[in-house]
Amino acid sequence: MGKIVAIGGGENGHHNTKYETAPFDKEIIRLTGKQKPSFLFIGLANNYPDYYFEVMDGIYNGVYGCTTDYLRYEEIRNKEITSSKIKKADIIYVGGGNTYKLMRLFKMYGIDEMLIEAYNEDKVLCGVSAGGICWCDYGNSDSRAISSNSSQIIRVSGLGLINVLFAPHIVKEPNRIESVKQMMKRTYKIPAVQLDNAALEVVDNQYRILTIDENSVAEKCYWKNGKYITQNIISDKFRSIEELYERN
């Protein structure tokens, strides 16, 4: 089984914002079991991947001493290059942006299969927003807002490694809370995990919630017998993944 850290919000220091995601970054590195792991950034969801990589390189190389690289748009057409970079990495970090676009590119170029193989090889898979959604069954995504200025939040399918609907930014973008509630009416076999300034960490068959501060939010949501149930799941202790999937 693999290791996943799906981040639902928190600033990484871009554009002079405060660097808040240190608890997540430190845990991602710890999970590799190496002092200086190799870090691969995938920014295919974003329109400015070069700048995004500069930010992540400043963290993982500049602060923590990892060796860093990123998968460029012009490289994904070459399966050998893509596969080689993924195989060399200890950490595969997917950046935020347009989730629908990200998943379309993953499937078009076979990156989805490479990432599932990386999961089975026990690499650390992680990312924020779209990069958190991509590891799950589904995500609550603003892809249409990014691509066409539509306010509609849509459900986007991910790789299915975590059996939840992942909803990031619910504090920063509170309109998502109602959209998750409505979305879950047709996503009834699995729960939603909605969060902000927090990350869902899954290691083998256990999970826990990583937080930034007292403002971090992580909730499990689902419909049962006509009632919408929301449960706080913040805990720094690992629990069985089956507890996360239960809808009691």
Side-chain angles (χ1 to χ4, degrees):
M1 300 294 288
K3 303 168 184 175
I4 299 175
V5 178
I7 302 168
E11 298 293 351
N12 59 16
H14 66 98
H15 295 109
N16 298 315
T17 58
K18 183 180 178 182
Y19 173 45
E20 299 174 326
T21 57
F24 311 148
D25 298 325
K26 290 176 182 177
E27 176 63 7
I28 288 164
I29 292 168
R30 187 195 70 82
L31 285 172
T32 68
K34 299 181 179 181
Q35 285 192 328
K36 294 186 177 181
S38 56
F39 172 91
L40 177 67
F41 178 69
I42 298 178
L44 299 175
N46 200 274
N47 290 330
Y48 306 100
D50 294 340
Y51 171 71
Y52 205 153
F53 173 68
E54 287 180 17
V55 173
M56 301 311 297
D57 179 65
I59 295 170
Y60 279 84
N61 176 262
V63 177
Y64 299 115
C66 301
T67 59
T68 58
D69 194 4
Y70 78 111
L71 186 62
R72 296 162 176 82
Y73 272 104
E74 59 267 25
E75 293 173 334
I76 60 176
R77 292 178 176 82
N78 188 318
K79 283 195 173 184
E80 289 186 7
I81 292 176
T82 304
S83 177
S84 175
K85 289 196 171 190
I86 288 173
K87 285 185 179 297
K88 287 178 182 177
D90 300 305
I91 298 166
I92 300 166
Y93 191 113
V94 181
N98 187 323
T99 313
Y100 179 81
K101 170 188 171 185
L102 176 72
M103 295 309 303
R104 181 172 56 83
L105 291 173
F106 277 1
K107 292 174 183 177
M108 184 181 301
Y109 295 106
I111 300 171
D112 54 348
E113 296 176 358
M114 297 179 201
L115 292 175
I116 291 170
E117 183 178 347
Y119 174 79
N120 291 325
E121 291 175 349
D122 223 27
K123 296 179 185 293
V124 180
L125 309 181
C126 51
V128 62
S129 193
I133 289 172
C134 70
W135 312 117
C136 302
D137 281 351
Y138 300 106
N140 178 269
S141 171
D142 61 355
S143 295
R144 287 188 180 169
I146 295 171
S147 62
S148 61
N149 295 319
S150 167
S151 60
Q152 183 182 9
I153 304 292
I154 62 172
R155 189 180 75 170
V156 176
S157 297
L159 295 175
L161 299 176
I162 309 175
N163 304 133
V164 300
L165 183 145
F166 189 83
H169 310 306
I170 64 159
V171 174
K172 189 174 182 181
E173 302 171 15
N175 62 309
R176 285 182 183 264
I177 295 175
E178 181 61 27
S179 72
V180 172
K181 183 178 181 180
Q182 298 305 317
M183 199 170 284
M184 291 308 294
K185 288 183 177 179
R186 61 187 179 91
T187 315
Y188 51 85
K189 292 184 179 181
I190 59 172
V193 172
Q194 59 181 25
L195 66 177
D196 208 339
N197 297 320
L200 171 63
E201 178 180 9
V202 176
V203 179
D204 297 328
N205 290 311
Q206 295 185 309
Y207 86 98
R208 67 174 176 171
I209 300 297
L210 305 175
T211 60
I212 291 174
D213 55 29
E214 66 277 2
N215 297 314
S216 299
V217 175
E219 298 171 329
K220 179 169 75 171
C221 311
Y222 55 93
W223 286 93
K224 186 173 183 179
N225 299 326
K227 183 179 180 181
Y228 189 62
I229 297 170
T230 302
Q231 299 172 343
N232 177 18
I233 57 170
I234 289 182
S235 174
D236 61 357
K237 294 181 173 59
F238 278 104
R239 301 177 183 274
S240 167
I241 194 71
E242 295 306 319
E243 286 188 29
L244 183 64
Y245 297 155
E246 286 174 356
R247 293 173 296 141
N248 295 327

